[in-house]
Amino acid sequence: MDILFYHPTFDNDLWIRKLQAQMPDARVREWKSGDNGPADYALVWHPPVEMLQGRELKAVFALGAGVDSILSKLNAHPEMLPQSVPLFRLEDTGMAEQMQEYTVSQVLHWFRRFDDYQAQKQQRCWQPLPDYQREDFTIGIMGAGVLGSKVAESLKGWGFPVRVWSRSRKSWPGVSSFAGQGELDAFLSGTRVLINLLPNTPETVGIINQALLEKLQDGAYLLNIARGVHLIEDDLIKMLDGGKIKGAMLDVFSREPLPPESPLWAHPRIAITPHLAAVTRPQEAIEYIADTIGKLEQGMPVTGQVNRERGY
Ligand code: NDP
Ligand code: OXD
């Protein structure tokens, strides 16, 4: 079995070594331009069209959770990968734990008013503030999939009221479920902390805009850890400056790396991280990929296949 690997920024030698160790019977190689040699499976991130097109692959594995970059390339170059070739993505493989760490730490930061105390520190102001109450701190998670479900679980464990919004209804103990466009307003109303874990699809681009933010509880907070295209950044700044939104933490941006001239950098109530809320962990990812390839080879059921029509 021949396996092609391509990632524009990973330590590819390390990945190839680990893949080879996990699948000793396979021949694993890094794809380089001009390589038209045999391949059964391709493991990719932002793959060049030339890498995939014209091959008879058994499956392609995205080396991340979101497949928006691959699907948008496929829309522009449908010849790159026939519909009959299944596309898989990483389901959790260590990312859910990272998302839990990221969201819990930031929600607690806001809940304990560390943002206010940080601002007071700038004024050398010693002034205890009234505590926030958990019942006034409803967490609303957009996207109740592999990652959103785990984030909901951990925030529920901290005693916050938790609600999720997704396409299909969920029945999770202690978590309120809102489904579809028709229940979006009800989901937003009363949400104090909005966490975005939606995939990037035509329905979700620009979804976090002024009209949506206005429907949140006054003094709400935003955590965008899914994709930059979900958020209209100028609308967020307007809502922060107008006082409706109290703070935001952004991991993903309309342009990455975030350009130095972006007004987001200087805003005192926006925290920024450079798209690392949950990174791909090689060992966990490789174990999932090797296991899935093994099952595919034996005709066994697998999980993680992307629905290309639906876009996630
Ligand atoms: P999943 O595919 O498991 O979950 C997606 C969720 O979004 C599902 O609950 C789905 O609903 C819901 N959804 C999709 N479209 C809509 C819609 N139009 N309206 C309402 N709900 C919708 O994805 P993951 O949880 O694995 O990952 C989510 C995203 O997180 C990724 O697509 C990626 O963009 C981002 N990500 C960001 C990272 C970072 O470091 N910043 C790292 C990893 C991922 P339903 O359940 O009904 O299908
Ligand atoms: C992913 C990401 O989708 O890293 O996995 O953003």
Side-chain angles (χ1 to χ4, degrees):
M1 177 196 307
D2 290 286
I3 297 182
L4 288 184
F5 181 89
Y6 177 85
H7 197 293
T9 57
F10 278 177
D11 177 346
N12 291 349
D13 289 342
L14 174 110
W15 273 78
I16 305 269
R17 264 201 319 277
K18 283 182 175 286
L19 279 160
Q20 197 63 76
Q22 194 74 30
M23 293 184 282
D25 296 334
R27 289 175 294 276
V28 187
R29 69 181 190 277
E30 183 180 356
W31 180 84
K32 298 230 167 73
S33 182
D35 174 351
N36 295 313
D40 298 293
Y41 296 95
L43 283 40
V44 299
W45 196 246
H46 294 289
V49 177
E50 176 203 352
M51 175 185 180
L52 299 183
Q53 86 178 0
R55 293 186 182 278
E56 289 189 11
L57 292 165
K58 294 183 187 173
V60 171
F61 288 83
L63 294 165
V67 284
D68 43 342
S69 64
I70 296 185
L71 292 183
S72 67
K73 205 165 235 186
L74 278 176
N75 283 340
H77 303 276
E79 74 286 0
M80 186 171 142
L81 198 64
Q83 286 284 352
S84 55
V85 181
L87 171 64
F88 291 86
R89 69 187 190 95
L90 298 181
E91 282 189 316
D92 187 350
T93 62
M95 285 189 253
E97 182 185 70
Q98 297 172 68
M99 286 298 190
Q100 290 174 322
E101 292 163 356
Y102 193 106
T103 51
V104 168
S105 59
Q106 189 60 25
V107 167
L108 292 176
H109 178 90
W110 285 323
F111 180 65
R112 292 302 309 267
R113 307 194 65 160
F114 292 157
D115 52 343
D116 291 320
Y117 290 118
Q118 196 61 30
Q120 286 191 178
K121 175 178 178 281
Q122 307 302 321
Q123 310 301 323
R124 297 167 186 256
C125 168
W126 180 279
Q127 178 60 57
L129 299 167
D131 287 345
Y132 287 149
Q133 304 304 311
R134 274 178 170 66
E135 59 265 30
D136 301 326
F137 233 74
T138 294
I139 315 291
I141 304 167
M142 300 173 86
V146 171
L147 302 177
S149 59
K150 290 292 179 60
V151 166
E153 199 178 285
S154 56
L155 285 162
K156 192 184 80 170
W158 277 93
F160 294 103
V162 176
R163 53 174 66 173
V164 294
W165 181 68
S166 47
R167 288 188 352 153
S168 56
R169 188 164 315 284
K170 312 298 175 197
S171 302
W172 300 339
V175 175
S176 317
S177 163
F178 297 76
Q181 204 60 38
E183 295 183 14
L184 180 57
D185 283 4
F187 163 81
L188 295 169
S189 133
T191 287
R192 181 71 174 273
V193 181
L194 184 68
I195 299 178
N196 178 33
L197 271 168
L198 288 168
N200 169 13
T201 69
E203 292 80 46
T204 63
V205 170
I207 191 167
I208 308 174
N209 52 35
Q210 180 168 348
L212 179 142
L213 294 170
E214 266 164 1
K215 291 173 184 154
L216 297 171
Q217 199 176 319
D218 287 343
Y221 304 86
L222 171 71
L223 261 166
N224 188 18
I225 48 180
R227 285 292 182 262
V229 292
H230 289 136
L231 171 68
I232 308 296
E233 292 166 353
D234 288 347
D235 285 6
L236 171 64
I237 291 176
K238 210 185 301 171
M239 301 299 280
L240 281 161
D241 292 344
K244 173 79 190 181
I245 302 295
K246 184 144 184 272
M249 179 145 192
L250 309 177
D251 182 56
V252 286
F253 302 89
S254 56
R255 276 179 65 199
E256 294 181 10
L258 184 62
E261 65 275 16
S262 168
L264 299 172
W265 283 115
H267 201 288
R269 283 182 288 122
I270 295 178
I272 287 176
T273 50
H275 197 146
L276 46 60
V279 300
T280 297
R281 290 181 172 158
Q283 195 53 41
E284 285 98 324
I286 286 168
E287 281 167 17
Y288 160 76
I289 292 168
D291 181 60
T292 304
I293 289 178
K295 288 179 173 152
L296 287 172
E297 289 290 311
Q298 293 174 55
M300 289 166 65
V302 289
T303 65
Q305 185 170 347
V306 173
N307 179 330
R308 283 169 64 172
E309 289 294 299
R310 210 177 52 169
Y312 66 99

